[in-house]
Amino acid sequence: MRICPNCGNNVDDGVAFCKNCGCNIMNMGAAPQQPMYQPYQDPYDHTNEFSAQDVSDNKIFAMLPYLLGTIGIIISLLAINKSEYIAFHIRQSLKMTIVSILLSILTVVSAITIIGPLVCLICTAILSVIRIICFFRVCAGKSMEPPIVCKLGFLR
Ligand SMILES: [Zn+2]
């Protein structure tokens, strides 16, 4: 026994047309089409935007900016050769470098208070952890914007 996909009437096996509505069951298939499953997409995850070739060729230059900071950015800039993948990771590392420069300035400016430099120090430590996270994400083949820093919303 099958169920007509058009009207829901029970249809005997081996019968091509539904007795109730005349619908051709053989052509319509057993189950109605399910809507495509949409996996959750992280707006900060850009992994799928880069070709596998680009990633495998340039992985080391995606890692360097996170590992070596400014020096790594300069080395990768020299190696960039139109690679969208390298450019993306240079931008992400640059974001963190800008934040750390701002933190250094803030440390000096807030030096008259006790709490200011302390807060800056904690932020700098968090930033270092974010850098390590980013590095391991590149190792894992992922291209994601750095956590927390991406929320600041500059340099996509
Ligand atoms: Zn029917």
Side-chain angles (χ1 to χ4, degrees):
M1 196 71 95
R2 296 175 64 190
I3 291 167
C4 170
N6 188 44
C7 69
N9 186 43
N10 287 334
V11 186
D12 292 325
D13 286 323
V15 177
F17 296 93
C18 170
K19 269 183 277 185
N20 188 40
C21 69
C23 160
N24 188 338
I25 301 159
M26 292 302 173
N27 281 351
M28 284 190 76
Q33 273 241 301
Q34 290 290 323
M36 278 274 280
Y37 171 64
Q38 287 277 316
Y40 168 71
Q41 256 285 295
D42 185 342
Y44 299 113
D45 188 347
H46 301 268
T47 307
N48 297 330
E49 291 172 21
F50 309 105
S51 71
Q53 185 68 41
D54 196 356
V55 172
S56 67
D57 286 353
N58 301 310
K59 209 166 185 177
I60 186 78
F61 296 110
M63 290 172 184
L64 283 179
Y66 299 119
L67 268 187
L68 304 174
T70 315
I71 299 163
I73 290 175
I74 293 165
I75 295 171
S76 293
L77 272 175
L78 295 173
I80 194 163
N81 193 27
K82 291 177 194 162
S83 166
E84 287 283 319
Y85 177 62
I86 298 179
F88 172 81
H89 287 285
I90 289 176
R91 280 203 304 278
Q92 307 316 312
S93 182
L94 203 60
K95 271 189 225 182
M96 286 184 273
T97 304
I98 291 168
V99 173
S100 74
I101 291 168
L102 290 175
L103 279 172
S104 319
I105 296 169
L106 216 64
T107 309
V108 176
V109 171
S110 67
I112 42 166
T113 64
I114 301 162
I115 195 80
L118 204 67
V119 171
C120 291
L121 197 73
I122 294 166
C123 291
T124 306
I126 294 170
L127 204 62
S128 307
V129 174
I130 294 173
R131 264 189 193 281
I132 296 165
I133 292 171
C134 287
F135 171 73
F136 281 112
R137 277 180 177 170
V138 175
C139 295
K142 290 203 173 293
S143 294
M144 295 169 78
E145 291 183 43
I148 305 171
V149 176
C150 64
K151 300 279 195 287
L152 300 175
F154 65 98
L155 262 177
R156 290 280 145 191

